[in-house]
Structure formats: structure tokens, C-alpha cells
Amino acid sequence: MDTAARSLELRQSGPRLLQGAAGDMEVIFDVPVRSPLGIAIVAHPQPLLGGNAMHKVPHLIARALCEAGWLVARPNFRGVGRSAGTHGKGIGETDDVLALRKHLVDDYPSLRLGLFGFSFGAFVQARVARALAEDGSPAWRVCLAGMPAGEVAGQRHYDTPANVPDALVVHGERDERVPLALVFDWARPQVQPVVVVPGADHFFTGRLHILRTLVLSHFAG
């Protein structure tokens, strides 16, 4: 089946269950009307705090990328929606995104891959990006927004990997869940640039249009 036929099938099928590392993985697809420019996997925030693939941030970014011509896959992490398993603290979720990436690359071998993650999803995508780079098949673009690093609210610790290739890191100046200082502590040793959105909170309230513009620009580069 060619790329156009596969895209049409996805557009008509709605959310699908694919095989993840822990069993069924529910994936929402946003399919462009024309032949896709590439594949984008968009990851949602912390499921223990109610995060899912329909959260406003991944939903907005997925729709924007789809309108720009990308085939977008939004997985529900373990235990969310119809996805099997229980919360994997980012480790299991990394395995699931890698499994999803393999499904997509098998179906669309000629398309480049982009990764976007918000909050916990950004932590997962940083791990995915490092794993792909170490395997010799790096993602074409990576965007990490509101990414946790170090010790954050709720006594959760995030050992976020460094040196993520081709990464755009975006953070709110007034992020109340992941203080900007923690992201700078992560970025400083590797001299990783961080784009700071003035006045933005963790969810980029009132400034999602800025995040949207930054992501689209990075994926268009």
C-alpha cells in the first residue's frame, strides 16, 4: 500500500490500537489532506495528573503540524484511555514511543521523523531522541516544551538526558510546576539554548500561539 492509500485509511479509521511494549496502545492520528511531509509523534503531559492525548497543548500542536502537512500520531500513555499497562515513570513510556515509531517507520519508510513532547511528554521524548541517536537513527527534529528536569513539584525526580540532537527547548518564564532555574541547570553543562516565553506559565496560558509558532518554525527548518 502506498503512502497516499495508507494516509486515507488512517483518516477514515479514527483512533487505533497498536502494539506497545505493555500491550495495546491507543493512538490518535491527525492526517493531512495531502501527501505527508513527515511523521510527527506528539506526547502528552503527566498521566498521574490527568494528562492524555486530548490535552489542549498536544492537541493544538498536533492540529497545527497536521495543517502544515505532517502525519501526526498522539499516543495515550500506559493506563490512559484504551492503552494497556500502568504508569512506567517515563521508562515504559519511552519503550512505547519507540514501538510506535517502529510501526510508523515500517509503514512510511521514506518519511522523516519529528518528536514533540509537553511536560512529562517532553521528558519521554528527550529519552526517545537520545535512544534513537545512540542507535544511529536520530529524529529529524525534536521539540521539548515545559520539560521537567531534576526535582520538581510533588517530589518527583526526572533524570532528563542531556545532548538531545536537533532539540528546540521552550519554557515559560513563570512555570510554576517546573521552575525555569531547573531547566537552566540541565541546559548549562551542555550549553543547550533554551527559548524562554516571557510571562508564560507551565501550560503557556494565553501564549499557546507563541509555542505553536516556535514549533512550526522548528519543524519547517
Side-chain angles (χ1 to χ4, degrees):
M1 188 182 299
D2 62 18
T3 297
R6 288 187 185 280
S7 297
L8 178 61
E9 181 186 18
L10 282 178
R11 191 179 300 115
Q12 295 173 336
S13 67
R16 298 181 66 183
L17 292 178
L18 300 178
Q19 187 64 32
D24 285 343
M25 172 173 47
E26 184 179 31
V27 183
I28 298 171
F29 286 95
D30 299 276
V31 184
V33 294
R34 58 185 184 273
S35 185
L37 300 173
I39 302 163
I41 299 176
V42 171
H44 68 72
Q46 177 60 264
L48 296 180
L49 298 175
N52 59 67
M54 290 301 295
H55 184 277
K56 67 177 183 179
V57 177
H59 180 74
L60 179 141
I61 296 301
R63 298 302 299 173
L65 287 171
C66 180
E67 289 168 7
W70 288 75
L71 170 62
V72 184
R74 285 182 278 156
N76 267 325
F77 287 142
R78 298 179 177 199
V80 179
R82 294 189 293 161
S83 291
T86 56
H87 182 61
K89 299 181 180 179
I91 299 169
E93 289 77 6
T94 298
D95 292 339
D96 290 334
V97 173
L98 288 170
L100 173 57
R101 177 257 179 194
K102 186 177 186 307
H103 282 296
L104 295 171
V105 169
D106 286 347
D107 284 346
Y108 301 91
S110 64
L111 296 184
R112 56 196 176 184
L113 174 71
L115 303 174
F116 171 85
F118 168 63
S119 194
F120 173 79
F123 169 67
V124 171
Q125 295 289 43
R127 289 177 49 84
V128 170
R130 280 302 312 153
L132 292 176
E134 289 169 2
D135 191 47
S137 54
W140 184 72
R141 288 290 185 271
V142 180
C143 183
L144 310 169
M147 182 182 67
E151 207 75 31
V152 302
Q155 302 301 308
R156 288 187 293 273
H157 182 81
Y158 291 91
D159 187 15
T160 308
N163 300 312
V164 178
D166 294 306
L168 169 68
V169 180
V170 185
H171 214 79
E173 177 192 16
R174 296 178 180 172
D175 191 317
E176 71 286 3
R177 298 203 176 189
V178 184
L180 183 57
L182 292 179
V183 178
F184 281 148
D185 288 344
W186 168 82
R188 194 173 295 112
Q190 55 189 312
V191 198
Q192 165 68 53
V194 177
V195 177
V196 179
V197 180
D201 62 14
H202 184 64
F203 297 101
F204 296 89
T205 305
R207 292 164 175 81
L208 277 173
H209 63 290
I210 298 174
L211 177 62
R212 179 184 186 276
T213 298
L214 290 168
V215 173
L216 289 177
S217 178
H218 189 59
F219 272 66

